[in-house]
Amino acid sequence: MEINYIGHSTVELVDGDTRILIDPFLKPNNPAAELTAEDVNPTHVLMTHAHADHSADAIAVGKRTGASFVAQSELAHVLTHNGLEDVADPNLGGTVEFDWGWVKLVQAFHTSTWPGSADAPFSPIPGEVIGSAAGLVVNVGGTTVYHLGDTCLFGDLRLIAERTPVDVALIPIGGHYTMDRHDAAVAADFIGAGTVIPVHYNTFPPIETDAEAFKSEVESQTSSKVVVLAPGESHSL
């Protein structure tokens, strides 16, 4: 399997003909991304929550490609309302199965608002509060990838990993809107994945942080190996 880091929290998992896009936030909406909604061709799109920096290009990608979507129930119905036809709508704890494996929605501590305007994309005043944010445990061809979404540190990260041992953990480290790199190092210890890839950092000034310092802290305190990817780079398993 190949993990392509598009930028911010947007990641693509590729295994044979299966191309799984997580949290589509692409150029020009995403200042870190090199790819636009016209450049990606996913077979499946998975979403952790409704915030603009995780969903801005979801409708455009879905309408162009006809990809199968998985999103938390309320968000799934918003996607359907906006014209997408193939949308699975689990809630937290729910699992959706595919021929390539499965995806399970798990707990994340964060908020979720579908943007209502370009001027205030994170505000519930012009937007709409949409259910709960989630993490995604994805099994692709026997490899388990845990995308934590946007979350703070919480103890049941350990329980989630105990229930399904994790090969690769995609962990937010930027702070301010999610856990910072110090809490993220604790999260890495809780999860115990063989490989950790930091996400959700350095896209905007409030979430600037030192990914190499995170790598050093995790690798000195845990058995995990940290792979720091720049947008556009890939990691093969």
Side-chain angles (χ1 to χ4, degrees):
M1 184 178 69
E2 186 173 65
I3 300 174
N4 300 325
Y5 183 47
I6 294 175
H8 197 58
S9 283
T10 307
V11 177
E12 185 181 50
L13 310 178
V14 181
D15 184 51
D17 293 333
T18 301
R19 305 186 72 91
I20 302 167
L21 183 65
I22 300 177
D23 284 355
F25 180 48
L26 303 162
K27 183 180 179 179
N29 295 306
N30 181 351
E34 298 176 354
L35 300 179
T36 71
E38 297 294 320
D39 297 324
V40 294
N41 291 285
T43 56
H44 300 76
V45 178
L46 314 179
M47 298 179 65
T48 63
H49 65 293
H51 282 158
D53 59 325
H54 296 256
S55 68
D57 295 281
I59 302 302
V61 169
K63 286 185 175 180
R64 185 178 63 79
T65 66
S68 299
F69 275 68
V70 178
Q72 187 269 347
S73 183
E74 282 82 0
L75 175 55
H77 290 290
V78 171
L79 298 175
T80 301
H81 178 76
N82 279 273
L84 301 190
E85 297 180 355
D86 185 358
V87 184
D89 65 344
N91 216 315
L92 299 184
T95 300
V96 180
E97 295 186 357
F98 296 97
D99 56 3
W100 46 261
W102 48 263
V103 54
K104 182 177 182 178
L105 267 66
V106 296
Q107 187 174 12
F109 283 95
H110 192 63
T111 56
S112 184
T113 304
W114 183 256
S117 75
D119 294 332
F122 298 99
S123 171
I125 297 172
E128 186 174 357
V129 178
I130 302 296
S132 302
L136 302 168
V137 181
V138 188
N139 186 275
V140 187
T143 298
T144 300
V145 178
Y146 179 13
H147 191 304
L148 275 66
D150 283 6
T151 189
C152 62
L153 179 65
F154 63 101
D156 280 347
L157 290 168
R158 189 191 301 273
L159 176 61
I160 291 167
E162 286 177 354
R163 293 285 296 139
T164 308
V166 177
D167 297 303
V168 181
L170 306 172
I171 302 181
I173 69 167
H176 197 78
Y177 301 112
T178 69
M179 67 178 84
D180 61 20
R181 67 175 178 87
H182 304 292
D183 280 354
V186 177
D189 182 44
F190 284 178
I191 295 166
T195 301
V196 170
I197 298 175
V199 298
H200 205 280
Y201 69 99
N202 289 358
T203 317
F204 311 106
I207 60 171
E208 290 178 356
T209 194
D210 187 341
E212 292 299 329
F214 169 72
K215 174 182 171 72
S216 178
E217 186 172 356
V218 170
E219 292 187 344
S220 67
Q221 298 178 8
T222 78
S223 60
S224 299
K225 298 300 180 184
V226 176
V227 177
V228 177
L229 298 176
E233 291 185 339
S234 301
H235 176 66
S236 296
L237 300 173

